[in-house]
């Protein structure tokens, strides 16, 4: 069998893939490569795990934008992610788990930005190690009806 020479070719061979988890998604050569993941026919969800990544917040926001429609979990623990998704037309309808623990740039506005675009299925929210208090979370005004696990 001939050698795969591009990400697009490689992803065509993975068309039956239903879930994708990678700690190295930020190593992809281009945004187009990331888009190829999101466009796989049978893909039901992506676990975006950028824990302890050195990526700047704007790059994390771009990744979230590009694969948002299939994201089921986001782990940006110990990153510079601020939650600023301004200019990013994205909806996180499938998101079930969100870990913002120890994000040194996250604040109430950043949490509000990201929670305002999540669907109704969020079951776990980790804000441990951030400056967000329970009162601030309540004041955000976003309904979290299905939330089962909250870490502050």
């Amino acid at each position: 069998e001939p050698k795969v020479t591009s990400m697009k070719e490689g992803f065509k061979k993975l068309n039956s893939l239903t879930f994708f988890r990678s700690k190295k998604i930020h190593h992809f050569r281009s945004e187009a490569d990331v888009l190829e993941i999101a466009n796989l026919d049978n893909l039901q969800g992506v676990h975006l795990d950028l824990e302890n990544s050195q990526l700047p917040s704007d790059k994390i926001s771009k990744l979230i934008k590009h694969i948002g429609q299939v994201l089921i979990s986001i782990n940006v623990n110990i990153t510079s992610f601020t939650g600023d998704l301004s200019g990013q037309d994205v909806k996180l309808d499938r998101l079930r788990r969100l870990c913002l623990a120890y994000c040194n740039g996250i604040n109430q506005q950043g949490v509000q930005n990201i929670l305002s675009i999540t669907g109704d299925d969020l079951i776990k929210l980790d804000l441990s190690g951030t400056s967000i208090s329970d009162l601030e979370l309540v004041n955000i005004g976003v309904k979290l009806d299905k939330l089962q696990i909250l870490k502050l």
Side-chain angles (χ1 to χ4, degrees):
E1 194 168 307
K3 193 173 188 176
V4 174
T5 58
S6 73
M7 293 294 273
K8 189 171 190 166
E9 269 182 61
F11 285 129
K12 282 182 184 176
K13 292 180 179 267
L14 298 174
N15 212 28
S16 63
L17 189 69
T18 55
F19 289 95
F20 182 83
R21 178 187 302 265
S22 176
K23 286 190 171 231
K24 299 186 190 286
I25 199 166
H26 56 285
H27 289 195
F28 288 12
R29 292 180 297 217
S30 71
E31 291 174 8
D33 289 344
V34 174
L35 284 173
E36 287 301 320
I37 295 170
N39 291 325
L40 290 172
D41 290 339
N42 295 315
L43 192 66
Q44 296 172 21
V46 171
H47 300 273
L48 181 62
D49 188 348
L50 296 174
E51 181 173 350
N52 213 15
S53 168
Q54 298 303 308
L55 277 179
S57 184
D58 63 323
K59 295 280 188 190
I60 294 172
S61 294
K62 277 187 179 181
L63 277 172
I64 290 171
K65 175 193 176 211
H66 288 306
I67 56 177
Q69 74 274 16
V70 292
L71 277 172
I72 57 175
S73 72
I74 298 173
N75 179 3
V76 287
N77 183 17
I78 316 170
T79 67
S80 64
F81 184 60
T82 64
D84 181 12
L85 295 166
S86 56
Q88 308 291 335
D89 183 26
V90 64
K91 201 74 173 121
L92 304 174
D93 291 328
R94 297 184 189 180
L95 194 67
R96 296 180 51 81
R97 291 175 193 86
L98 176 60
C99 179
L100 300 170
Y102 299 95
C103 286
N104 57 15
I106 200 79
N107 60 25
Q108 185 177 358
Q109 184 62 52
V111 173
Q112 182 173 354
N113 290 343
I114 199 159
L115 289 180
S116 68
I117 60 171
T118 61
D120 297 331
D121 292 332
L122 193 67
I123 60 171
K124 181 179 180 183
L125 176 60
D126 188 347
L127 296 169
S128 55
T130 68
S131 63
I132 307 301
S133 69
D134 53 351
L135 183 59
E136 286 176 310
L137 187 59
V138 169
N139 286 330
I140 286 174
V142 175
K143 287 187 177 182
L144 300 171
D145 293 337
K146 294 185 180 176
L147 195 67
Q148 297 172 9
I149 301 168
L150 174 61
K151 294 183 177 180
L152 291 175

